[in-house]
Amino acid sequence: MSVKDGALHDTQVAALLDRTWDDPRGFLGWFCVVNHKTIAKRFIVACLVFFALAGLLAAVMRLQLARPDNNVVGPDMYNQLFTMHGSAMMFLFAVPVMQAVAVFLVPLMVGARQVAFPRMNAFAFWIFLFGGFTLFIAFFLNTGPDAGWFAYVPLSGPDYSPGKRVDIWAQMITFTELSALLEAITLITTILKFRAPGMTMNRIPLFCWATLITSFMVLFAMPAVMLGSSALIMDRLIGTHFYNPAEGGDVVLWQHLFWFFGHPEVYLIFIPGLGFLSAMIPTFSRRPQFGYAAMVLSLIATGFLSFGLWVHHMFATNLPELGKSFFTAASMLIAIPSAIQIYCWIATMWTGKLNLRTPMLYCLAFFFILVLGGMTGLMLASVPLDYQVHDTYFVVAHLHYVLIGGAVFPLFGAFYYWFPKFLGRMMSERLGRWSFWLMFIGFNVAFFPMHILGLQGMPRRVWTYQAGMGWDGMNLLSTVGAFTFALGIFLSLVNAVRSARAGAAAPANPWGAGTLEWATQSPPAPCNFHAIPVAHGRDPLWQGAPEGEPSHVAGLAADKREALVTTVIDALPDHRYLSPPPSPLPFLSAVATTVLFIGSIFTPWAIVWGSVIVAVPVIAWFWPKRHDVDSELALEKRP
């Protein structure tokens, strides 16, 4: 007879659940892990390593530009630096880290024990890691990409970029975006089908709404850049002519494909940041989020409209004037849902009792920085002004104000907020405040002068400039600000390491929050919840179960990795699902896929022979096993 869960205070059942869902031990066990929390932590650490490397590249660039006629690096290395900086930040940090945080939090927030498709989740992490390493190893071998993170053709084509630099970029971008697609599928299915009973669509936490919308956007946006980069490498390796006008191709096609991905990419980073704020602001305002329905509709509208803006990156190309007018209107229209969300957050804080802890400081910084970035965005949506400042440092300033203000500051607030849940320790409040102020001041000193430099005509992507052009002082100030900003980030890292080793032990709910991830211990048990909770409101921990209503679900197996699947709209119990156990096959499949992709950089035959190598672990992965089928049938027959 199988042991079942459900008794909240049965320590023996709780211990059995923990053993059932725990990670395998030992060196080989390290490669077999499929637990979503372990995979998410590895994902986040990998993203932060790539973030640090990309930040170091930016520091070298700022040193080079601190003085006129400087010679810290030469033009060839500078091209590699800004290409690697942009590629790493956009493809190896910004979107992946948002997905990684979601992989950790979403099952906890919706009251699930695991993500849907846990092995696919592990596979996505490994191919992301291998793709990122390949890109940086190429850079350290002086074969780093040098055509910009946008890789415009014909400059990135075979005539103007010989060698393997662009080939490596194109294949590794396709590779890492495959990881993003797999994570999006995992998160969508988890949110729609693994919610706790009672968590209807009208009660989903706003962070989960933001993750759901972002994941759907990934499904539509990422294939565009994967298609574009695949066509690029085919032009370079096997002589196709997708982007060759002399043979019927079109160079503007690349820009359409790239920016159809590239502009939603900004919102793939921005919308999870909005989700972070919607989790933190109600907690530190001590009241539920004001305007829940308006917030959800605004998130959906933002995601939808973000696909209608890509042409505003192409105003300087020869496009029809009517089309430019349409995209100008769409670019300005997106300010409306953003403004609605800001009003809802202000109303929440205004009618609540504000507690200014470190995470809230990062939330308040978001308002200041994003409003400035949004205003310059409206300026760039105007075609005449865009002509004047196109490819100048004004655009660099706008981009960093939106991305760092809209994503990095909320992300750091989220790290301080959920650090106790991640590691079971509290971070230092004093170090947190020092870090915040250094980051806030340093950021504005670094990037605000770039607006002025852009208006004065300083072009972007130049490795040096002559003295006497009036750009010296602003560039030096910007470099000082960049290093101050980096010092603030370093202080947060010191705080995290120090707190992980010797921070105060965190209780289950140190902030007094209302969502379900705070219902379990810090850090969570391997099974997340010893009893699956039942949600009776949008903030279950604040509202509690009404008298006579159940607070949890009983009856799942404790000696098997059994999960509860619910209906999409009403979250009613639908059926039970046997989650797959740990396995080395996702890791082995990722190694084989990496061999295929790296080989294809050098010869198209690698696709053929590499497919054979990939097929072996993948067939073993999906080959039906009699024991698994018997176990599932036996669990369904049990009363």
Side-chain angles (χ1 to χ4, degrees), residues 3-15:
V3 179
K4 295 184 177 180
D5 69 357
L8 284 175
H9 304 295
D10 191 329
T11 53
Q12 290 184 333
V13 172

Side-chain angles (χ1 to χ4, degrees), residues 251-261 310-311 314 319:
V251 292
V252 181
L253 170 65
W254 167 261
Q255 291 198 38
H256 280 296
L257 287 172
F258 184 83
W259 288 117
F260 184 78
F261 141 83
W310 85 91
V311 170
M314 302 166 60
L319 293 176

Side-chain angles (χ1 to χ4, degrees), residues 378-395:
L378 292 176
M379 294 165 71
L380 288 171
S382 167
V383 176
L385 184 62
D386 186 80
Y387 282 158
Q388 297 302 314
V389 297
H390 191 78
D391 272 346
T392 71
Y393 263 84
F394 189 89
V395 181

